[in-house]
Amino acid sequence: MKQSYLELVRDIQDAIRVRAQEVPKFRDEGNGAIRILAYPCCPEADKWFGGLSTFGEKDDIVDYEHTFAITPGGSRVVTGEWDGVKQKVDCYAYSALKIAHCSLAQDLGYTAVSGLDLRTKYLTEDNGYGPHPGALCFEISKRVDESSDPEPFCGIYVCVSGADSRDDLKCAIAAVYVIVEFFDNEKLYQVKIPNYSAV
């Protein structure tokens, strides 16, 4: 891999922050969260992320996470009014719930986005799932050479939380071009983009 994983993280962060300036709530208040979570599917990807996982008889796979405020110097906590009551929402925490919902959609064979109807009433915040748009997962595969079949390399979740869920998703989608371009430059990699229009 020519570039470091942290360069990709920074590029995703930058693209989302630029897109967030199109959302009045983010532009005017500057609060909300970006969460980027990567998981390795092989030792090579794990080494690229930082080398904390163990592959072998008993795999011990690490998730690598980075979180940022939606704007430099902003808070990851937003204030709003729901049910007639002014409340605070920790978008750092809620972004994790959206990624959990996205991950479950992925595991169940749906496209890897949060906010889909997964046909069960128990997928709520109380049970650790944020069933609202704003998170998506890119599945990356790699070929050994030009003639070989692609093998799973890693997954990269991108989530935005803090505005209306549709605006969160709009900001998260800014990562598509960044991730595709990054891996296109590496030649043997392939990116599966989730169908974010499904929500």
Side-chain angles (χ1 to χ4, degrees):
M1 191 74 71
K2 295 176 201 148
Q3 293 177 277
S4 74
Y5 173 62
L6 293 182
E7 288 176 280
L8 176 58
V9 168
R10 180 67 74 189
D11 290 347
I12 293 169
Q13 174 208 41
D14 290 346
I16 290 173
R17 283 181 166 174
V18 168
R19 180 70 55 86
Q21 292 307 299
E22 299 172 12
V23 176
K25 184 170 179 63
F26 287 144
R27 185 181 61 242
D28 298 342
E29 299 176 18
N31 300 329
I34 302 166
R35 181 183 294 262
I36 302 164
L37 180 153
Y39 63 90
C41 298
C42 63
E44 181 186 356
D46 187 67
K47 183 177 178 185
W48 186 52
F49 293 145
L52 297 175
S53 298
T54 303
F55 288 83
E57 190 175 320
K58 288 189 178 180
D59 291 344
D60 187 9
I61 309 303
V62 174
D63 288 335
Y64 295 85
E65 289 190 304
H66 293 87
T67 58
F68 308 91
I70 197 76
T71 57
S75 172
R76 292 181 286 192
V77 176
V78 297
T79 302
E81 191 169 310
W82 296 274
D83 301 323
V85 179
K86 195 171 185 180
Q87 302 174 44
K88 291 187 179 299
V89 175
D90 188 326
C91 298
Y92 165 80
Y94 204 78
S95 64
L97 300 183
K98 285 186 180 182
I99 286 178
H101 194 265
C102 178
S103 177
L104 182 60
Q106 187 180 20
D107 290 346
L108 294 175
Y110 293 89
T111 192
V113 297
S114 63
L116 295 173
D117 179 2
L118 301 181
R119 297 183 174 86
T120 174
K121 62 184 177 181
Y122 302 110
L123 300 179
T124 64
E125 290 85 349
D126 287 345
N127 291 332
Y129 297 99
H132 300 284
L136 52 159
C137 183
F138 301 85
E139 297 171 344
I140 318 300
S141 56
K142 183 184 178 189
R143 290 182 168 87
V144 175
D145 55 46
E146 296 285 347
S147 62
S148 63
D149 291 331
E151 296 288 334
F153 182 74
C154 71
I156 300 172
Y157 291 95
V158 176
C159 182
V160 174
S161 181
D164 173 271
S165 292
R166 296 288 169 188
D167 286 331
D168 290 345
L169 179 59
K170 173 183 167 183
C171 292
I173 290 168
V176 172
Y177 177 77
V178 173
I179 291 172
V180 169
E181 182 181 43
F182 184 93
F183 285 101
D184 272 355
N185 290 333
E186 297 290 340
K187 303 297 179 211
L188 296 175
Y189 294 84
Q190 205 172 332
V191 178
K192 181 179 178 185
I193 302 169
N195 179 14
Y196 47 81
S197 64
V199 291

